[in-house]
């Protein structure tokens, strides 16, 4: 078994520079701070008579999709990615507004599914966009160990082909970056790694994680750390009291640093693509 990542306490203490940290972390209240650029908005809000798109997913931050098993987490992840790319995706979720202004790279990592189902999910993005976006790079890493997945992501950010050009990273199955999601040290290390990736690369990182069976919280200590550090936490819930074929999924923003979006619903259409719907709609 791969050992959890450990902090090198001696090295950290030896390199600690109080004066440097003091100067770097002191907040200058005289500066007019600018809101980080938005990658993708869901909905809008009014402020002082003006309408603004919600800064739901901004660059330099990370977010989480939290849901139980088979509650269409991967479908919703595909909707976010395709909407960020653009094309015809707006036909499925008109309330999603992309601010992508260049041909950035989008990395989509699936840690859970085998090659057949992973590819089927990845192809869904092209189906929603209407074409294959050449800078969309999907990776199925089911066979990798947690430490290998972390090193692989490190490598992607340092790869000369992509360095400085990755603006959206999706990790579908972030719990597979740890050996034990209830290990406090290991979970904290991965949460800190997410913070470092999003800050150093000024990209948005979207994580998919299971919810606790008895609450709407993300599972384990890993889920707790991620929720505390997230810019946006979105919870998906099936609206049916019992399993109904293609019952609408309720989408709630449970945590937000910016203006939250209103609750909405989605289902799967006749092509098995996610599409926004009204509550009570089913697959005809």
């Amino acid at each position: 078994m791969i050992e959890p990542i450990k902090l090198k306490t001696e090295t950290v203490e030896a390199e600690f520079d109080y004066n440097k940290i003091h100067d770097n972390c002191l907040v200058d209240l005289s500066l007019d701070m600018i809101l980080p650029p938005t990658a993708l908005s869901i909905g809008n809000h009014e402020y002082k008579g003006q309408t603004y798109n919600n800064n739901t997913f901004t660059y330099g931050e990370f977010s989480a999709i939290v849901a139980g098993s088979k509650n269409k987490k991967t479908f919703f992840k595909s909707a976010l990615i395709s909407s960020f790319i653009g094309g015809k995706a707006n036909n499925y979720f008109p309330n999603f507004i992309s601010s992508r202004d260049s041909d950035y790279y989008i990395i989509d990592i699936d840690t859970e599914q085998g090659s057949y189902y992973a590819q089927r999910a990845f192809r869904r993005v092209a189906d929603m966009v209407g074409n294959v976006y050449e800078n969309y790079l999907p990776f199925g890493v089911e066979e990798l160990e947690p430490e290998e997945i972390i090193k692989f992501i490190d490598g992607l950010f340092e790869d000369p082909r992509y360095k400085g050009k990755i603006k959206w990273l999706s990790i579908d199955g972030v719990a597979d970056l740890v050996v034990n999601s209830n290990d406090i040290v290991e979970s904290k290390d991965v949460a800190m790694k997410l913070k470092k990736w999003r800050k150093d690369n000024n990209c948005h990182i979207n994580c998919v994680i299971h919810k606790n069976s008895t609450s709407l919280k993300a599972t384990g200590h890993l889920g707790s750390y991620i929720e505390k550090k997230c810019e946006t936490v979105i919870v998906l819930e099936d609206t049916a009291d019992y399993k109904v074929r293609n019952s609408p999924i309720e989408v709630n923003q449970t945590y937000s640093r910016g203006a939250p979006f209103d609750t909405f619903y989605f289902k799967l259409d006749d092509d098995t693509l996610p599409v926004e719907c009204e509550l009570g709609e089913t697959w005809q």
Side-chain angles (χ1 to χ4, degrees):
M1 179 181 293
I2 294 178
E3 292 296 321
I5 302 169
K6 302 295 183 182
L7 292 174
K8 297 180 180 178
T9 306
E10 297 81 2
T11 302
V12 172
E13 290 178 352
E15 296 177 352
F16 185 84
D17 186 334
Y18 167 78
N19 290 321
K20 181 179 179 181
I21 292 175
H22 174 280
D23 293 342
N24 288 342
C25 296
L26 182 64
V27 178
D28 187 345
L29 300 183
S30 68
L31 295 177
D32 291 328
M33 300 299 289
I34 299 174
L35 183 71
T38 299
L40 183 68
S41 303
I42 300 181
N44 53 53
H45 66 280
E46 289 191 4
Y47 178 70
K48 294 185 176 180
Q50 297 291 323
T51 301
Y52 299 91
N53 293 333
N54 293 333
N55 53 313
T56 316
F57 307 98
T58 62
Y59 296 124
E61 294 290 346
F62 69 97
S63 59
I65 300 170
V66 181
S69 296
K70 311 309 178 198
N71 272 11
K72 300 182 176 64
K73 298 184 294 296
T74 299
F75 284 96
F76 190 72
K77 175 210 71 172
S78 299
L80 294 181
I81 292 174
S82 60
S83 295
F84 180 61
I85 295 172
K88 298 179 180 179
N90 189 248
N91 294 333
Y92 298 89
F93 289 86
N95 214 25
F96 291 12
I97 305 164
S98 176
S99 297
R100 184 176 66 86
D101 58 3
S102 188
D103 291 331
Y104 301 125
Y105 283 98
I106 297 164
I107 306 296
D108 190 359
I109 292 177
D110 189 306
T111 71
E112 298 181 339
Q113 301 185 100
S115 57
Y116 172 79
Y117 289 104
Q119 187 201 54
R120 192 165 73 169
F122 295 144
R123 282 182 169 177
R124 188 183 302 133
V125 171
D127 290 340
M128 295 181 71
V129 172
N131 59 68
V132 176
Y133 176 60
E134 63 179 9
N135 288 348
Y136 169 61
L137 305 178
F139 296 95
V141 298
E142 179 203 21
E143 297 181 357
L144 298 184
E145 296 292 335
E147 186 176 346
E148 293 176 315
I149 297 174
I150 292 172
K151 289 180 178 179
F152 176 65
I153 296 174
D154 275 331
L156 286 169
F157 281 122
E158 292 301 318
D159 190 318
R161 293 171 293 180
Y162 317 132
K163 190 171 184 178
K165 302 174 185 177
I166 297 172
K167 284 297 183 179
W168 189 284
L169 167 64
S170 173
I171 306 175
D172 193 345
V174 69
D176 287 324
L177 273 63
V178 297
V179 175
N180 180 2
S181 62
N182 278 313
D183 184 290
I184 294 178
V185 175
E186 190 181 15
S187 296
K188 181 179 179 181
D189 286 347
V190 166
M192 296 302 290
K193 193 70 173 176
L194 291 169
K195 285 181 63 178
K196 180 174 173 57
W197 282 332
R198 55 87 169 164
K199 181 179 180 181
D200 290 353
N201 300 283
N202 193 32
C203 69
H204 189 86
I205 300 176
N206 178 247
C207 303
V208 178
I209 188 168
H210 286 265
K211 79 172 186 66
N212 192 303
S213 61
T214 58
S215 73
L216 297 180
K217 299 288 186 180
T219 188
H221 287 301
L222 176 63
S224 296
Y225 275 116
I226 286 176
E227 286 188 332
K228 289 175 184 176
K229 306 297 182 183
C230 270
E231 170 186 43
T232 293
V233 177
I234 295 173
V235 174
L236 307 182
E237 291 188 276
D238 197 327
T239 57
D241 293 331
Y242 53 91
K243 274 299 175 184
V244 175
R245 186 170 183 248
N246 199 26
S247 54
I249 298 295
E250 183 175 281
V251 183
N252 287 295
Q253 188 170 357
T254 56
Y255 297 102
S256 173
R257 290 182 184 164
F261 58 74
D262 295 331
T263 297
F264 64 94
Y265 305 87
F266 76 92
K267 63 171 185 174
L268 303 184
D269 67 10
D270 292 335
D271 296 318
T272 323
L273 298 177
V275 59
E276 193 169 341
C277 70
E278 297 296 327
L279 182 61
E281 288 186 33
T282 55
W283 193 349
Q284 301 300 323

